[in-house]
Amino acid sequence: MTGATSGIGREAAAELLRRDAQLHLVMLARGATGRVTLTELQSIRSDVTLVETDLASAASVRAAAETVRRRLDSGDLPPLGGIVGNAGVSFNDAQRSTPDGYETTFAVNVLANHMLLGELAPGLTSPARIVITVSDTHFGDLKHGGGLFKLRWSDPDVLARPGAFPRPGASSAGRSAYATSKLAAIYLVHEWARRLPDGVDIGQAPDGVDIVAYNPALVPGTGLSRDGGLTRIFMRYVTRPLAATPLLDSVPAAGRRLADVILGGATAPTGSYIDRTRAVRSSEESYDPDRERALWEYAERLRTSAAI
C-alpha cells in the first residue's frame, strides 16, 4: 500500500489491521514519515512492514518492488493478496521535475502506480484486488471541484514532462495537472482490467484478480489544498461546512470506505469506478480505449526501459 502515512490512507491502514487478523500490511513510504507511521500502526497489530520508497524516483520504486518480491519468495512475507495505490500529490504549479526528468504530479499519480503494478501484479495470489485511488476532479466541471480543475489531455509523453499546461508556473496549471493525472489513472485502471484476465504483456498474473478505481470525493482535511490559492479557499469555505453532512465524508469516514473497497466489501466488476460506496460511471471522457492503450503502452515502455 502506498499513501498509508496520512489522510484517508492512514485511516484505511488502521482499519485494515483492525478488521482482518490475517492481513499483513506492507507500506511503501518515505523514511522518516514511514517510520513514524510504522510505529503507530504496529501499536494496533505487529503485522506491518515498511519498505522505504520515494514514489518520485523510478529507481526507488523498482528497488521497493524488488524488495517485496524477494521477501515474498523467501517466505518472509505471506502471499501477496492485493495492491493499493493510494498515494497522490498536487502542487500549485505544473513545472516540478523528478530526478528522472518527469513532471512530479504525473510521475507519482500515474507512472509510479503503473510501475508497481507491472512489477508486482504477476506475484498476486488469487483472489486479489488492486485499488487505485482517483478523484472526481477528473470530470473537470463545476459540479466536481467547483470548476477549478480544468482538464487538458495530450500525448502521454507531453503530459509526463514539465510545462504541459498553459502558464505552468500558475496554480491553475497545478490543478490541471492533478485532475488530468487522475483521468490518466482511470485510463490505466480500464486498460489493466482488460489485460489482467489473460496476462497479456504483464506476465502470468493469476485469474481472480480485479482492479478498481476508488473516488473518495472531496474530503476536507486531506492536504489537497496545502499549496493554497483558490483550492484552499474552496476547501475551507465551501466544502468544510459540508463535512458533517451526507454530501461529504470526514477523513476517518473516507478511510473506512477505502478499507471497505480494499477488502472487497464494495461489489463491483473489474475496471469499475467506485464513488465512495458504489460503482458508477466515471466521466464520459474517461472511456477512451485509444487513449487508454496509448497511455498503458507509454508507461510500459518506461517501466521496461532504462530511461526511467
Side-chain angles (χ1 to χ4, degrees):
M1 181 176 185
T2 68
T5 60
S6 64
I8 66 173
R10 171 63 178 78
E11 296 289 340
E15 280 292 306
L16 292 173
L17 292 168
R18 293 187 189 105
R19 293 190 200 179
D20 188 349
Q22 304 302 313
L23 181 142
H24 186 112
L25 179 67
V26 180
M27 292 193 304
L28 274 57
R30 286 189 288 187
T33 304
R35 289 190 291 273
V36 169
T37 306
L38 176 67
T39 300
E40 294 172 350
L41 292 176
Q42 286 182 330
S43 70
I44 300 172
R45 237 185 53 234
S46 62
D47 297 323
V48 187
T49 296
L50 171 65
V51 176
E52 294 195 10
T53 315
D54 179 359
L55 294 174
S57 164
S60 179
V61 175
R62 274 205 182 97
E66 174 58 30
T67 297
V68 172
R69 288 199 307 266
R70 185 174 64 252
R71 297 184 70 172
L72 288 167
D73 291 343
S74 70
D76 186 38
L77 290 173
L80 184 62
I83 302 169
V84 183
N86 177 66
V89 296
S90 64
F91 302 106
N92 62 355
D93 59 63
Q95 55 188 9
R96 307 189 191 201
S97 298
T98 69
D100 307 296
Y102 296 92
E103 194 276 316
T104 304
T105 311
F106 197 84
V108 173
N109 296 358
V110 183
L111 298 179
N113 277 324
H114 181 80
M115 182 175 287
L116 284 173
L117 296 188
E119 298 296 312
L120 295 177
L124 285 165
T125 300
S126 178
R129 169 166 279 191
I130 300 167
V131 180
I132 304 297
T133 300
V134 294
S135 167
D136 56 10
T137 59
H138 84 275
F139 281 85
D141 59 12
L142 182 63
K143 179 180 177 181
H144 305 89
L148 297 177
F149 297 85
K150 301 297 185 183
L151 298 174
R152 188 182 178 91
W153 188 257
S154 187
D155 184 86
D157 188 50
V158 173
L159 294 173
R161 307 288 179 174
F165 301 93
R167 298 173 58 232
S171 60
S172 58
R175 294 192 296 272
S176 289
Y178 177 79
T180 304
S181 75
K182 294 303 185 178
L183 175 64
I186 295 173
Y187 285 153
L188 283 182
V189 168
H190 290 166
E191 191 65 19
W192 271 95
R194 276 190 284 270
R195 293 172 185 263
L196 275 167
D198 55 12
V200 176
D201 298 331
I202 58 172
Q204 295 304 307
D207 291 336
V209 177
D210 67 358
I211 180 170
V212 297
Y214 165 69
N215 169 47
L218 283 174
V219 181
T222 62
L224 176 63
S225 61
R226 61 183 175 273
D227 278 330
L230 290 175
T231 309
R232 173 169 290 181
I233 294 171
F234 179 77
M235 294 295 286
R236 177 175 296 175
Y237 296 107
V238 179
T239 67
R240 192 177 295 275
L242 299 175
T245 75
L247 297 175
L248 295 180
D249 283 335
S250 65
V251 172
R256 290 191 294 272
R257 294 189 194 280
L258 174 55
D260 288 340
V261 173
I262 294 168
L263 294 174
T267 303
T270 189
S272 291
Y273 174 79
I274 300 178
D275 181 42
R276 298 171 75 188
T277 61
R278 60 193 181 94
V280 300
R281 281 186 64 83
S282 48
S283 70
E284 291 306 311
E285 188 174 358
S286 71
Y287 298 92
D288 190 320
D290 291 336
R291 287 184 182 180
E292 291 160 4
R293 182 175 58 255
L295 176 61
W296 196 96
E297 291 174 350
Y298 173 78
E300 186 68 358
R301 285 196 301 272
L302 296 183
R303 183 183 76 84
T304 56
S305 74
I308 182 171

